[in-house]
């Protein structure tokens, strides 16, 4: 007598894995599909199936391997098999039905396909298409789908241990990008990059000591402004915004004082793309026993940095540039030995006091004040993504986009501020062509999905193109096509 074989499934989204299973089952006898009822799917999975029971049944009945379709609960037992006179239940190797062993026939699942995969891929395709904008501003940068989606999490009180563990992971992994965990640690703050520049400057310089700040762009200047706001004893060392620092002149300045304790500068001046040489400045700091403070906001996680080798005591960066996370977390990677010494310095600031934030995190794995919860989840995802890509590969990817950009600019006869020899290959400050209005150009490009950025150097009429974030040289080529189209039409 022909056997009656039951195959149980939800068949919400039919795929070739289902068909293969049906075909195999049909070799054993008549195929009766035990189709999970709508309310059972809702109870188990928490959503209504895309197609209701009657439509799923209609689809299944049209398949040549299927003889009957009956309504079944989520879990089958021997009573269900008895009711429909079933000889054998065929199931994939994820069976959880509680039935007698001799009635069960297990087939391996088809690899690489499931209704869940189809559902997630469809959602991902829509979300990516909808949300992918090419940000050519120097951060917040274009983020991956994974980073965007990682923010959709269960509500959690950030004081829970689970969240403390997440922040500890983030802190350690951020340290590992530029230093070793034995001697260095990372202190997290909620806020934008400027928050940590202010935290470091206001926390680390003793009142009877001076800080020498190199100003060769808007962010160097900002450090001077912060030091002024706290009435700190600062020496501003002005340097060209487009050429390397004159080390001899810098050394002479240092020698003029006996009470400088700190040297501060920006690694990649985001205003121009001028890359200051950390090897040289690290040596200088060591020679004169200065603690080196580096604003690495737009270089960290792209341009390799070795804090120990380069004698850096404090390094500041944020979550939304080359690390490719969301805006809202800023951090300081610091030498623990230096942090311990801060105990004797009376804080100039309450919220941004570096020593208090450090000690509190060490003791509790918590920030002192409410952290940006979802941004931290996104940062964890961004860290996992950079671990997969590697900092060096990320910089190679960025550099390739930069090369695509500058090669074309040269062909077009457009000039940019900083010579290739001293360039960070992260952001380029380009002279605005004659007759072009920045806002008009911005709006045209923005409409087409590309965001460009205004210049920030007073003496030159420029705009900026950054090549960071989840973009590559093909995006840059697409941008250049539209950019040329714009210039042709003005
Ligand atoms: C070098 C540098 N420092 C500091 C900042 C300030 O960061 P935020 O705007 O996040 O406060 C930026 C921002 O672009 C930067 O590029």
């Amino acid at each position: 007598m022909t056997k009656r074989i039951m195959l149980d499934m939800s068949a919400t989204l039919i795929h070739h894995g289902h068909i293969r299973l049906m075909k195999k089952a049909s070799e054993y006898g008549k195929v009766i599909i035990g189709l999970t009822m709508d309310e059972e799917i809702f109870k188990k999975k928490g959503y209504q199936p895309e197609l209701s029971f009657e439509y799923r049944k209609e689809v299944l009945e049209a398949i040549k391997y299927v003889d009957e379709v009956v309504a079944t609960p989520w879990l089958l037992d021997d009573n269900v098999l008895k009711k429909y006179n079933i000889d054998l239940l065929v199931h994939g190797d994820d069976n959880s039905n509680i039935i007698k062993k001799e009635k069960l026939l297990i087939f391996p699942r088809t690899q690489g396909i499931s209704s869940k995969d189809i559902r997630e891929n469809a959602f991902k395709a829509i979300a990516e298409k909808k949300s992918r904008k090419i940000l050519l501003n120097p951060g917040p940068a274009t983020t991956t789908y994974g980073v965007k989606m990682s923010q959709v999490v269960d509500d959690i009180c950030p004081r829970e241990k689970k969240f403390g563990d997440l922040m500890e992971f983030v802190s350690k992994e951020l340290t590992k990008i530029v230093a070793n965990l034995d001697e260095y640690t990372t202190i997290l703050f909620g806020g934008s990059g400027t928050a940590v520049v202010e935290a470091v400057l206001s926390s680390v310089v003793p009142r009877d000591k001076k800080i020498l700040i190199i100003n060769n762009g808007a962010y160097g200047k900002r450090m001077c402004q912060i030091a002024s706001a706290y009435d700190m004893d600062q020496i501003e060392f002005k340097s060209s915004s487009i050429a390397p620092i004159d080390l001899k002149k810098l050394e002479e300045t240092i020698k003029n004082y006996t009470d400088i304790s700190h040297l501060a500068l920006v690694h990649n001046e985001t205003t121009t793309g001028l890359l200051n040489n950390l090897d040289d400045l690290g040596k200088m700091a060591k020679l004169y026993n200065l603690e080196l403070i580096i604003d690495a906001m737009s270089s960290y996680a792209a341009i390799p940095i070795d804090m120990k080798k380069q004698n850096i005591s404090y390094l500041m960066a944020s979550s939304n540039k080359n690390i490719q996370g969301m805006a809202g977390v800023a951090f300081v990677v610091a030498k623990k030995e230096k942090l311990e010494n801060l105990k004797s310095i009376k804080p100039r600031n309450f919220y941004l006091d570096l020593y208090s934030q450090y000690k509190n995190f060490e003791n509790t794995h918590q920030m002192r004040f409410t952290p940006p919860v979802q941004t931290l989840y996104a940062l964890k995802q961004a860290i996992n993504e950079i671990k997969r890509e590697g900092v060096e590969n990320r910089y190679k990817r960025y550099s390739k986009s930069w090369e695509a950009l500058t090669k074309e600019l040269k062909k077009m006869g457009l000039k940019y501020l900083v010579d290739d020899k001293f360039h960070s290959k992260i952001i380029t400050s380009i002279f605005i062509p004659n007759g072009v209005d920045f806002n008009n150009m911005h709006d045209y490009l923005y409409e087409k999905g590309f965001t460009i950025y205004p210049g920030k150097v007073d003496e030159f009429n420029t705009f900026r193109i950054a090549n960071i974030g989840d973009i590559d040289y093909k995006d840059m080529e697409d941008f250049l096509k539209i950019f040329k189209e714009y210039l042709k039409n003005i």
Side-chain angles (χ1 to χ4, degrees):
M1 213 174 72
T2 315
K3 285 197 166 138
R4 287 173 62 80
I5 315 295
M6 178 167 272
L7 247 176
D8 77 307
M9 57 178 63
S10 303
T12 46
L13 297 167
I14 286 273
H15 53 73
H16 57 281
H18 294 121
I19 302 292
R20 288 180 194 177
L21 206 55
M22 290 170 195
K23 185 176 178 206
K24 256 193 186 167
S26 71
E27 290 161 11
Y28 290 78
K30 275 184 167 234
V31 173
I32 293 89
I33 304 283
L35 185 60
T36 316
M37 293 175 282
D38 292 348
E39 55 275 24
E40 288 279 306
I41 293 176
F42 185 75
K43 234 177 17 193
K44 178 72 189 168
K45 301 260 181 175
Y47 59 79
Q48 295 293 350
E50 288 83 352
L51 297 176
S52 66
F53 181 86
E54 56 173 313
Y55 296 126
R56 290 186 284 127
K57 184 168 184 274
E58 189 179 327
V59 170
L60 289 167
E61 282 171 345
I63 295 172
K64 69 179 178 187
Y65 305 115
V66 174
D67 295 284
E68 262 175 64
V69 180
V70 298
T72 50
W74 179 263
L75 276 183
L76 306 185
D77 56 20
D78 290 321
N79 290 334
V80 178
L81 301 197
K82 210 164 155 193
K83 180 175 172 189
Y84 295 107
N85 217 1
I86 301 299
D87 298 298
L88 275 176
L89 175 73
V90 165
H91 205 284
D93 44 17
D94 55 347
N95 176 62
S96 48
N97 297 306
I98 311 147
I99 59 159
K100 286 194 197 101
K101 237 179 157 180
E102 60 272 23
K103 290 241 171 193
L104 194 60
L105 193 58
I106 299 284
F107 290 140
R109 288 182 65 95
T110 305
Q111 289 303 300
I113 185 72
S114 70
S115 303
K116 186 169 168 260
D117 289 341
I118 299 179
R119 198 170 280 115
E120 283 183 1
N121 286 342
F123 182 51
K124 185 175 167 188
I126 293 165
E128 274 182 344
K129 189 161 186 289
K130 259 193 165 167
S131 61
R132 190 154 195 269
K133 297 276 182 284
I134 307 299
L135 298 185
L136 301 173
N137 50 298
T142 303
T143 53
T144 63
Y145 173 80
V147 166
K148 286 183 192 71
M149 292 314 291
S150 63
Q151 297 175 107
V152 185
V153 286
D154 289 345
D155 291 326
I156 184 167
C157 168
R159 300 295 173 207
E160 287 298 323
K161 180 179 179 303
K162 188 176 166 197
F163 197 75
D165 291 346
L166 178 137
M167 288 197 284
E168 193 197 3
F169 168 86
V170 165
S171 163
K172 283 196 168 142
E173 293 299 330
L174 292 175
T175 308
K176 277 156 66 180
I177 288 178
V178 288
N180 71 67
L181 289 172
D182 290 338
E183 295 170 277
Y184 298 82
T185 191
T186 294
I187 304 121
L188 305 169
F189 285 87
S192 80
T194 307
V196 282
V197 178
E198 184 156 340
V200 170
L201 296 189
S202 65
S203 300
V204 306
V205 187
R207 281 176 177 69
D208 58 349
K209 296 286 179 190
K210 289 187 173 61
I211 180 168
L212 192 155
I213 301 172
I214 298 176
N215 171 1
N216 57 356
Y219 293 105
K221 184 174 169 192
R222 187 173 292 178
M223 287 209 256
C224 296
Q225 289 168 323
I226 292 170
S228 292
Y230 287 97
D231 280 333
M232 288 168 62
D233 202 351
Q234 64 168 308
I235 304 153
E236 179 179 2
F237 181 84
K238 279 200 176 160
S239 178
S240 161
S241 61
I242 54 173
I245 296 164
D246 182 338
L247 292 173
K248 264 208 174 122
K249 235 170 106 187
L250 177 68
E251 190 166 12
E252 278 163 23
T253 308
I254 295 171
K255 279 182 177 167
N256 278 341
Y257 300 88
T258 52
D259 51 357
I260 303 174
S261 58
H262 292 77
L263 172 63
L265 69 136
V266 176
H267 186 200
N268 171 31
E269 240 311 337
T270 320
T271 16
T272 55
L274 177 66
L275 188 67
N276 291 316
N277 187 321
L278 291 188
D279 292 337
D280 290 347
L281 289 147
K283 277 182 204 146
M284 182 86 76
K286 187 161 191 191
L287 189 61
Y288 291 95
N289 200 21
L290 307 178
E291 292 184 12
L292 188 56
I293 300 171
I294 299 297
D295 172 348
M297 216 64 69
S298 60
S299 58
Y300 176 90
I303 301 174
I305 295 171
D306 183 335
M307 286 184 68
K308 190 175 165 95
K309 227 164 114 192
Q310 293 168 317
N311 289 310
I312 303 167
S313 298
Y314 303 96
L315 178 141
M316 298 86 79
S318 68
S319 54
N320 57 273
K321 291 190 192 287
N322 308 330
I323 195 88
Q324 297 183 181
M326 296 293 168
V329 174
F331 53 91
V332 182
V333 191
K335 202 162 183 191
K336 289 183 201 171
E337 178 200 330
K338 304 288 177 196
L339 286 170
E340 289 299 336
N341 292 340
L342 301 182
K343 198 176 176 177
S344 58
I345 301 177
K346 185 171 174 272
R348 293 179 175 90
N349 186 317
F350 179 70
Y351 194 91
L352 297 172
D353 179 37
L354 189 63
Y355 182 75
S356 304
Q357 191 85 343
Y358 158 62
K359 274 290 150 192
N360 191 71
F361 194 77
E362 219 190 31
N363 295 333
T364 64
H365 290 156
Q366 291 291 335
M367 290 192 202
R368 284 157 73 217
F369 309 105
T370 307
V373 174
Q374 287 73 15
T375 299
L376 279 152
Y377 275 104
L379 186 51
K380 180 184 173 195
Q381 172 68 19
I383 287 169
N384 285 332
E385 290 180 13
I386 201 168
K387 281 173 81 172
R388 238 174 282 139
E389 184 175 15
V391 172
E392 283 185 17
N393 286 335
R394 179 157 294 183
Y395 193 41
K396 273 188 199 151
R397 173 163 61 84
Y398 286 3
S399 300
K400 208 166 164 189
S401 299
W402 180 80
E403 274 146 24
L405 171 71
T406 50
K407 196 171 135 203
E408 203 55 39
L409 291 178
K410 282 172 189 155
K411 268 201 223 159
M412 293 162 74
L414 293 185
K415 299 243 174 304
Y416 46 95
L417 279 182
V418 172
D419 194 284
D420 292 359
K421 284 201 292 286
F422 320 117
H423 213 291
S424 65
K425 304 187 178 180
I426 296 262
I427 182 156
T428 308
S429 206
I430 304 159
F431 286 96
I432 296 182
N434 281 340
V436 170
D437 171 67
F438 173 79
N439 289 331
N440 185 276
M441 175 166 70
H442 166 274
D443 295 352
Y444 180 89
L445 294 165
Y446 186 80
E447 272 299 301
K448 312 254 171 191
F450 299 96
T451 305
I452 61 167
Y453 212 53
K456 212 178 166 117
V457 187
D458 293 340
E459 55 277 37
F460 306 111
N461 186 28
T462 56
F463 71 104
R464 283 179 289 170
I465 299 290
N467 44 274
I468 63 173
D470 182 40
I471 61 171
D472 67 12
Y473 73 97
K474 291 189 242 59
D475 297 305
M476 192 56 83
E477 286 173 356
D478 289 345
F479 160 72
L480 286 162
K481 255 185 242 154
I482 309 284
F483 178 47
K484 282 197 275 187
E485 185 184 287
Y486 171 78
L487 292 182
K488 218 159 69 188
N489 291 329
I490 52 157

